[in-house]
């Protein structure tokens, strides 16, 4: 499959990328669909909506804890297909329940939990599968394409989803999301052929590893690895603190400051352009400056933006502040994320990569749920603006736990025979 610049990652990667794009568009079309259904169809209150948001993350993460050891010995592509089909089936129950008048709040919670656990399993399997599908020299380009696709979907999906809900009713985007998982499974099923020569292949699990195998081995590996440990802790802290502030900003903008829903949507749609620019620039920056410098710089810059959200005020000035802050945050994250994902794949040992990625994904979901609940409590006591400020101050400390440049200096982007003109 070719792209602008003529760089080819192969037909199999093309199917994988297409499957990812379809399911990602479906997910963003259905962005916040469950809270909307809970409020407008089931007349749920704030406590129930918060429970719904936290349950999918926390319980889904708990259910996914034993996934790593189970996943390691199984064909990753088949696991991904199974998780797509499971998510399709779970999502399909919502429009069916709505159509027959039997949709309940407990059903939404169960679906959120099932989909949350399946998301974690799929993510762990897909990372391991990607490493076996493309050459080491192409990992950053591949991750950059995924990142660019995600930001495109996040920019276009919610407005289109809102329009579809306005015309066709509250569950239409859930149905579309379910169908996107089915199409993703079909795309993954179309992959055939051997991996390219030089791509990483699953290694047999050594006897010593088997002796200690279990649900905790992914965490043990992450916490003992001198480079993965600080990267893991940094990503955990940054992602959870950013996500913890999202509902507080929504309460502040849509409540006290009186912004209209379309203004709130605009404030987060426009910065996604920075996601496209950042993800497309990542590979070029790495070729020029090397991964260690890009990772440290982008990881530091992204921590500086969210504190600016405490300055939001009513009117055009406040809207501009949010857009500028989010644009800077999204752009720096879009540079950091594919470089971090590539570094993680390069450093993880093949015999434990699925368990390592599963532990990473479970931890991220659980930390986000915990931080969201904690900052919700802080907002109840201090107010949303003060709680946002505390999250911003905490984020300023996160670059301290990034891997040191002296340690990262050994991580280098593998160079192909000719890298001229490689773009995505």
């Amino acid at each position: 499959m070719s792209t602008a610049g003529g760089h080819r990652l192969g037909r199999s990667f093309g199917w994988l990328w297409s499957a990812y794009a379809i399911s990602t568009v479906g997910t963003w079309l259905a962005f916040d669909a469950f809270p909307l259904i809970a409020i407008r169809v089931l007349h749920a209150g704030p406590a129930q909506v918060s429970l719904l948001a936290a349950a999918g993350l926390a319980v889904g993460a708990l259910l996914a804890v034993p996934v790593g050891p189970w996943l390691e010995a199984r064909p990753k592509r088949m696991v991904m297909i199974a998780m797509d089909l499971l998510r399709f089936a779970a999502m399909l129950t919502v429009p069916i329940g709505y159509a027959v008048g039997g949709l309940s709040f407990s059903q939404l919670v169960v679906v959120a939990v099932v989909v949350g656990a399946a998301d974690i399993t799929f993510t762990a399997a897909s990372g391991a599968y990607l490493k076996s599908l493309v050459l080491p020299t192409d990992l950053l380009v591949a991750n950059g394409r995924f990142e660019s696709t995600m930001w495109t979907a996040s920019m276009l999906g919610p407005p289109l989803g809102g329009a579809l809900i306005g015309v066709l009713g509250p569950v239409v985007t859930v149905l579309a999301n379910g169908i996107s998982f089915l199409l993703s499974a079909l795309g993954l099923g179309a992959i055939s052929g051997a991996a390219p020569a030089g791509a990483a292949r699953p290694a047999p699990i050594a006897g010593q590893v088997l002796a200690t195998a279990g649900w905790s081995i992914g965490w043990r590996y992450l916490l003992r690895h001198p480079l993965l440990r600080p990267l893991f802790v940094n990503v955990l802290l940054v992602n959870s603190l950013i996500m913890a502030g999202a509902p507080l900003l929504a309460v502040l903008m849509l409540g006290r400051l009186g912004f209209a829903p379309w203004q709130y949507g605009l404030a987060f749609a426009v910065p996604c352009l920075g996601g496209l620019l950042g993800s497309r620039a990542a590979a070029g920056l790495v070729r020029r400056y090397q991964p260690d410098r890009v990772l440290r710089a982008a990881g530091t810059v992204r921590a500086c933006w969210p504190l600016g959200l405490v300055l939001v005020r009513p009117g055009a000035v406040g809207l501009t502040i949010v857009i500028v802050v989010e644009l800077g945050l999204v752009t720096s994250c879009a540079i950091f994320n594919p470089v971090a994902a590539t570094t993680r794949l390069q450093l993880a040992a093949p015999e434990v990569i699925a368990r390592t990625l599963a532990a990473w994904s479970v931890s991220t979901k659980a930390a986000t749920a915990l931080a969201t609940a904690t900052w919700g409590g802080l907002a109840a006591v201090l107010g949303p603006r003060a709680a946002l400020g505390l999250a911003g101050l905490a984020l300023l400390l996160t670059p301290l736990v990034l891997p040191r440049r002296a340690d990262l200096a050994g991580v280098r982007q593998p160079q192909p025979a000719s890298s001229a003109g490689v773009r995505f």
Side-chain angles (χ1 to χ4, degrees):
M1 182 173 182
S2 62
T3 62
H7 193 67
R8 294 178 178 273
L9 297 184
R11 183 180 180 85
S12 293
F13 175 80
W15 279 113
L16 178 64
W17 187 17
S18 299
Y20 173 82
I22 291 169
S23 63
T24 302
V25 169
T27 297
W28 283 99
L29 275 175
F31 180 70
D32 275 351
F34 276 23
L36 185 147
I37 292 171
I39 293 169
R40 295 194 174 183
V41 177
L42 303 176
H43 310 292
Q48 287 180 300
V49 174
S50 297
L51 172 64
L52 180 61
L57 292 172
V59 184
L62 182 63
L63 291 176
V65 165
V67 157
W70 174 84
L71 179 60
E72 203 73 66
R74 285 167 174 79
K76 307 304 182 289
R77 184 169 66 98
M78 299 309 298
V79 171
M80 293 161 66
I81 292 173
M83 292 304 104
D84 269 340
L85 294 177
L86 177 60
R87 290 185 288 186
F88 163 68
M91 287 290 188
L92 194 61
T93 67
V94 174
I96 290 175
Y98 177 76
V100 300
L103 185 63
S104 66
F105 180 78
S106 60
Q107 179 183 348
L108 288 183
V109 172
V110 170
V111 173
V113 167
V114 171
V115 171
D119 285 345
I120 292 172
T121 306
F122 184 95
T123 299
S126 64
Y129 185 61
L130 176 64
K131 189 172 181 178
S132 70
L133 194 66
V134 301
L135 296 170
T137 53
D138 291 331
L139 278 174
L140 180 57
V141 177
N143 281 314
R145 290 177 183 171
F146 289 142
E147 186 78 8
S148 179
T149 300
M150 188 274 290
W151 287 114
T152 302
S154 66
M155 179 173 57
L156 301 177
L160 291 175
L164 286 173
I165 289 173
V167 175
L168 300 174
V171 299
V172 64
T173 57
V174 177
L175 177 61
N177 194 15
I179 293 173
S180 76
F181 291 130
L182 177 61
L183 295 176
S184 173
L186 294 174
L188 293 170
I191 297 176
S192 61
R201 284 170 171 75
I205 300 176
Q208 184 179 2
V209 175
L210 277 175
T212 60
W215 64 268
S216 65
I217 194 171
W219 283 276
R220 293 181 193 176
Y221 186 82
L222 282 171
L223 295 177
R224 291 175 181 174
H225 196 289
L227 293 182
L228 284 175
R229 181 179 61 251
L231 184 61
F232 171 60
V233 173
N234 176 267
V235 170
L236 210 64
L237 291 173
V238 172
N239 287 2
S240 59
L241 287 169
I242 290 174
M243 294 305 296
L248 307 184
L249 184 60
V251 169
L252 192 61
M253 291 183 67
L254 297 173
R256 300 183 183 184
L257 300 181
F259 285 98
W262 71 266
Q263 292 174 308
Y264 178 76
L266 182 68
F268 293 95
V270 172
C272 291
L273 293 171
L276 292 176
L277 295 175
S279 58
R280 293 183 66 86
L285 290 172
V286 164
R287 287 195 301 274
R288 183 169 182 177
Y289 298 109
Q290 291 298 331
D292 56 323
R293 301 179 71 179
V294 175
L295 205 61
R296 288 285 305 180
T300 300
V301 170
R302 68 176 179 158
C304 299
W305 292 98
L307 187 58
L309 293 174
V310 300
L311 302 175
V312 64
R313 61 187 70 180
V317 173
L319 184 62
T320 302
I321 289 173
V322 176
I323 290 175
V324 170
V325 168
E326 293 295 329
L327 179 64
L329 175 63
V330 166
T331 303
S332 51
C333 284
I335 295 172
F336 179 90
N337 290 345
V339 182
T342 301
T343 301
R344 181 178 62 187
L345 289 177
Q346 289 172 342
L347 293 176
E351 65 268 19
V352 293
I353 187 169
R355 277 174 281 192
T356 300
L357 297 179
W360 192 297
S361 188
V362 166
S363 300
T364 301
K365 299 283 188 181
T368 298
L370 178 60
T372 300
T374 301
W375 255 260
L378 288 173
V381 176
L382 304 175
R385 191 184 296 272
L388 275 173
L390 287 175
L393 289 173
L395 277 163
L396 291 178
L397 301 176
T398 57
L400 297 176
V401 293
L402 277 169
R404 295 176 304 172
R405 277 197 59 189
D407 295 330
L408 281 170
V411 180
R412 288 290 183 262
Q413 169 69 1
Q415 294 297 318
S418 175
S419 59
V422 175
R423 304 163 76 179
F424 54 86

